[in-house]
Amino acid sequence: MGKLDELFGVIKEKRPDTEVLTEIEDRLLVDDIPGAIALLEELEREQNVVIAVRMILRKILRMRESEENAEIRFVPLLKGLVLYVNGIKNERYRALLLGELALGFYVIGAELEGDFALKASINLALEHPDILRDIIMNLINAGLFPKAGYAMKFVKDREKLDVVLVYLAEVLYERGEEEKALAVIGHITSNFHRAVALFHLAEFEKTRNREKALQFVEWAIRIAERIEDPDARFELMLKLYDLRHEILGEPLSLSELLARETTQEKGPVEDRGPSKGEASEEP
């Protein structure tokens, strides 16, 4: 009817976005992904396009789990989503969605298409470090470490990269890849973030291996003592001592913490990364 409407000058009244989103949701409930994608062009607000694309992408990823030929069926649908994403003017939205679509391509098995989407998302996210960080963390969560490593090369802000490395170390350690986790910690430049990473490892081990948890805490304390910002140092030391005494089953001793704060010596931490052997040394 669209062509006939144009021929006779009939102007279709625009539906509100809420109504379109409801229909997209209804179509996804009956697995009508092409129909849901076709409705994207009716959405006016870019924020609503973001919501709809994410809904459709999640539906595709859920459905592909039960499909034997997921790549053949779903790659064309993901490519259809790329067309709408590229029409979004807001760079942050485009970067974030392209990063999520890249993840979708990788999960389905379309690595080439995933690489194209990832490179496009990184180029857009270069001026938006928080978006680039989110893209990398999504790749880490999916276990796509080589892709995450590629994206990390584009992070200019060392502090932002340190935040990502802390998270990566935690994920690797929880997956049982201790040596890799400790190697990642060795690449963290900030004393604060290195100590935070070890704090997370100690928390993970506190109910599994008490001795190892204590070793991580003591190691973190030695690094935290070199944090130059006194407020940041004190706050982190308080958390570390609290965790230490929780592991030992003792109440926190504030006098011990204050005494150590008073006598703490500042100095540069060695650049070499922590090794598995060092982690197992007695403090």
Side-chain angles (χ1 to χ4, degrees), residues 71 75 79 82 101-102 105-106 109-119:
E71 186 175 350
V75 166
K79 286 182 176 179
V82 171
L101 284 170
F105 280 122
Y106 289 137
E111 185 166 359
L112 182 61
E113 289 83 356
D115 286 344
F116 281 132
L118 180 59
K119 288 176 183 177

Side-chain angles (χ1 to χ4, degrees), residues 192-233:
F192 176 82
H193 288 106
R194 288 186 80 196
V196 166
L198 291 166
F199 171 81
H200 289 317
L201 268 52
E203 277 203 315
F204 180 73
E205 288 289 4
K206 69 181 180 183
T207 58
R208 293 158 41 95
N209 187 325
R210 181 171 167 271
E211 289 304 313
K212 182 175 282 189
L214 284 172
Q215 289 162 10
F216 283 137
V217 169
E218 292 295 345
W219 186 10
I221 288 172
R222 291 197 296 271
I223 293 173
E225 286 176 341
R226 297 180 173 91
I227 297 172
E228 294 190 7
D229 183 325
D231 293 331
R233 183 178 66 244

Side-chain angles (χ1 to χ4, degrees), residues 62-123:
R62 284 197 300 271
M63 289 181 67
R64 66 95 197 173
E65 294 175 359
S66 58
E67 293 279 340
E68 291 185 4
N69 299 313
E71 186 175 350
I72 295 172
R73 179 177 177 189
F74 294 121
V75 166
L77 296 175
L78 289 179
K79 286 182 176 179
L81 287 177
V82 171
L83 293 175
Y84 287 100
V85 171
N86 283 335
I88 295 174
K89 294 178 182 178
N90 186 297
E91 267 194 2
R92 291 173 61 86
Y93 294 160
R94 279 210 320 280
L96 191 59
L97 286 178
L98 284 169
E100 293 184 5
L101 284 170
L103 186 59
F105 280 122
Y106 289 137
V107 169
I108 287 170
E111 185 166 359
L112 182 61
E113 289 83 356
D115 286 344
F116 281 132
L118 180 59
K119 288 176 183 177
S121 69
I122 290 172
N123 287 335

Side-chain angles (χ1 to χ4, degrees), residues 137-148:
M137 288 188 172
N138 286 338
L139 293 168
I140 291 170
N141 278 332
L144 296 166
F145 300 123
K147 305 300 182 185

Side-chain angles (χ1 to χ4, degrees), residues 14-254:
K14 271 283 187 183
R15 294 192 292 168
D17 278 10
T18 51
E19 187 178 322
V20 179
L21 285 170
T22 299
E23 185 175 347
I24 289 173
E25 195 170 14
D26 289 342
R27 287 181 180 269
L28 292 177
L29 286 173
V30 295
D31 299 343
D32 181 12
I33 296 175
I37 293 174
L39 289 167
L40 290 173
E41 64 185 26
E42 292 190 41
L43 293 170
E44 289 288 321
R45 299 187 65 202
E46 290 193 336
Q47 294 95 325
N48 291 330
V49 176
V50 173
I51 293 169
V53 168
R54 280 181 156 174
M55 288 168 56
I56 295 168
L57 178 57
R58 286 168 186 167
K59 178 67 175 182
I60 289 172
L61 294 180
R62 284 197 300 271
M63 289 181 67
R64 66 95 197 173
E65 294 175 359
S66 58
E67 293 279 340
E68 291 185 4
N69 299 313
E71 186 175 350
I72 295 172
R73 179 177 177 189
F74 294 121
V75 166
L77 296 175
L78 289 179
K79 286 182 176 179
L81 287 177
V82 171
L83 293 175
Y84 287 100
V85 171
N86 283 335
I88 295 174
K89 294 178 182 178
N90 186 297
E91 267 194 2
R92 291 173 61 86
Y93 294 160
R94 279 210 320 280
L96 191 59
L97 286 178
L98 284 169
E100 293 184 5
L101 284 170
L103 186 59
F105 280 122
Y106 289 137
V107 169
I108 287 170
E111 185 166 359
L112 182 61
E113 289 83 356
D115 286 344
F116 281 132
L118 180 59
K119 288 176 183 177
S121 69
I122 290 172
N123 287 335
L124 288 167
L126 290 178
E127 300 304 318
H128 309 285
D130 57 321
I131 298 294
L132 184 54
R133 180 198 61 208
D134 290 346
I135 291 168
I136 294 169
M137 288 188 172
N138 286 338
L139 293 168
I140 291 170
N141 278 332
L144 296 166
F145 300 123
K147 305 300 182 185
Y150 169 78
M152 283 183 204
K153 294 176 183 178
F154 296 90
V155 180
K156 299 174 184 176
D157 186 332
R158 284 300 310 184
E159 186 174 356
K160 289 284 192 304
L161 183 58
D162 280 349
V163 172
V164 174
L165 292 176
V166 169
Y167 183 65
L168 175 57
E170 188 177 357
V171 170
L172 286 170
Y173 195 86
E174 290 182 5
R175 292 183 180 217
E177 300 185 63
E178 180 177 342
E179 193 167 343
K180 287 183 180 178
L182 296 178
V184 168
I185 292 174
H187 285 87
I188 297 174
T189 58
S190 155
N191 292 330
F192 176 82
H193 288 106
R194 288 186 80 196
V196 166
L198 291 166
F199 171 81
H200 289 317
L201 268 52
E203 277 203 315
F204 180 73
E205 288 289 4
K206 69 181 180 183
T207 58
R208 293 158 41 95
N209 187 325
R210 181 171 167 271
E211 289 304 313
K212 182 175 282 189
L214 284 172
Q215 289 162 10
F216 283 137
V217 169
E218 292 295 345
W219 186 10
I221 288 172
R222 291 197 296 271
I223 293 173
E225 286 176 341
R226 297 180 173 91
I227 297 172
E228 294 190 7
D229 183 325
D231 293 331
R233 183 178 66 244
F234 179 76
E235 289 173 17
L236 183 53
M237 291 284 278
L238 184 60
K239 289 182 180 179
L240 288 166
Y241 270 91
D242 191 29
L243 179 58
R244 181 177 182 272
H245 284 276
E246 180 187 346
I247 295 167
L248 291 170
E250 301 172 354
L252 175 63
S253 170
L254 288 177

